Amino acid sequence: MEEKTLSSKIIFSGERIQVRVDEVQAKDKKSKREIVEHKPVVAVIAIDGQNFVLVRQFRKAVEQEVLEIVAGGIEEDESPSQAAQRELAEETGFMAGKITKLGAFFTTPGFCSEYMYLYLAEQLFPHKLKAEDTDDITVVHLKAGEFMSLISNGQIKDGKTLAAVALYQAYLKNENKKS
């Protein structure tokens, strides 16, 4: 069931997000919705030979270090696949010889408009591109079994990383059917 927007007001505008409050009507009931507006982003599940390449970084919103796949914004002049390559290089020091789109999804549609494009990066090779804000990122290489163990025991709590694993497994299943 759709909600009709009766009014909308921006209450915060920052560098990365805007927050708006919408007054909506669904059937006979009026409600308010607090919406975080966020531009589209990319995420990359990277595989270097037999290892998954992840990053560990402190995330202020949850006040802890998080082990996760590479992710970041899409610049004005970039396609999502170009952004995926750039983010991979900035955060890990690798570029991908092969990059495949695995899917796209809304990250938290209950309150946020962020849309994430997910890519698989393979055939990695070293690259020197480094962003200014990535000094505190640690690159982590994990064998598939180690990665899945961290997921199953709850040590990986990042939603995009969990979604990426599910989409990657679906991709592998589909590729195996083609063979």
Side-chain angles (χ1 to χ4, degrees):
M1 170 177 62
E2 285 190 42
E3 296 178 337
K4 180 181 178 186
T5 302
L6 304 174
S7 66
S8 187
K9 180 180 179 183
I10 302 292
I11 61 168
F12 173 80
S13 189
E15 288 182 34
R16 293 179 172 235
I17 65 165
Q18 282 194 149
V19 179
R20 74 174 199 261
V21 176
D22 290 355
E23 184 178 5
V24 299
Q25 184 165 356
K27 290 190 178 181
D28 295 331
K29 184 178 177 189
K30 289 183 182 179
S31 300
K32 288 191 178 182
R33 302 284 183 252
E34 296 170 346
I35 310 291
V36 176
E37 296 178 352
H38 196 289
K39 292 179 181 177
V41 295
V42 295
V44 183
I45 187 165
I47 300 176
D48 185 20
Q50 299 297 312
N51 293 315
F52 287 87
V53 180
L54 293 97
V55 293
R56 182 184 314 277
Q57 59 187 316
F58 183 80
R59 294 298 198 175
K60 182 64 179 165
V62 294
E63 293 288 347
Q64 60 185 275
E65 281 192 336
V66 176
L67 185 60
E68 60 190 276
I69 62 173
V70 168
I74 301 171
E75 302 293 332
E76 293 294 324
D77 59 342
E78 287 182 315
S79 68
S81 64
Q82 290 170 327
Q85 283 279 29
R86 179 185 47 75
E87 287 292 339
L88 180 65
E90 287 178 354
E91 293 187 13
T92 69
F94 290 108
M95 290 285 281
K98 179 181 178 188
I99 193 151
T100 307
K101 185 178 175 185
L102 296 180
F105 53 92
F106 291 105
T107 58
T108 47
F111 68 91
C112 185
S113 65
E114 183 179 66
Y115 192 70
M116 181 170 282
Y117 296 89
L118 177 66
Y119 288 88
L120 169 63
E122 299 173 286
Q123 302 170 5
L124 303 185
F125 59 91
H127 194 278
K128 295 190 189 273
L129 181 62
K130 185 161 175 62
E132 294 174 10
D133 63 346
T134 58
D135 287 341
D136 294 328
I137 293 176
T138 303
V139 178
V140 178
H141 298 259
L142 295 173
K143 298 262 184 243
E146 295 172 301
F147 188 26
M148 297 311 287
S149 178
L150 290 174
I151 289 170
S152 65
N153 70 24
Q155 289 183 322
I156 293 183
K157 300 173 183 161
D158 175 61
K160 72 180 167 301
T161 302
L162 299 173
V165 169
L167 288 169
Y168 174 64
Q169 289 176 332
Y171 167 79
L172 288 178
K173 189 175 184 178
N174 191 39
E175 288 298 301
N176 288 335
K177 284 182 183 179
K178 290 179 185 177
S179 312

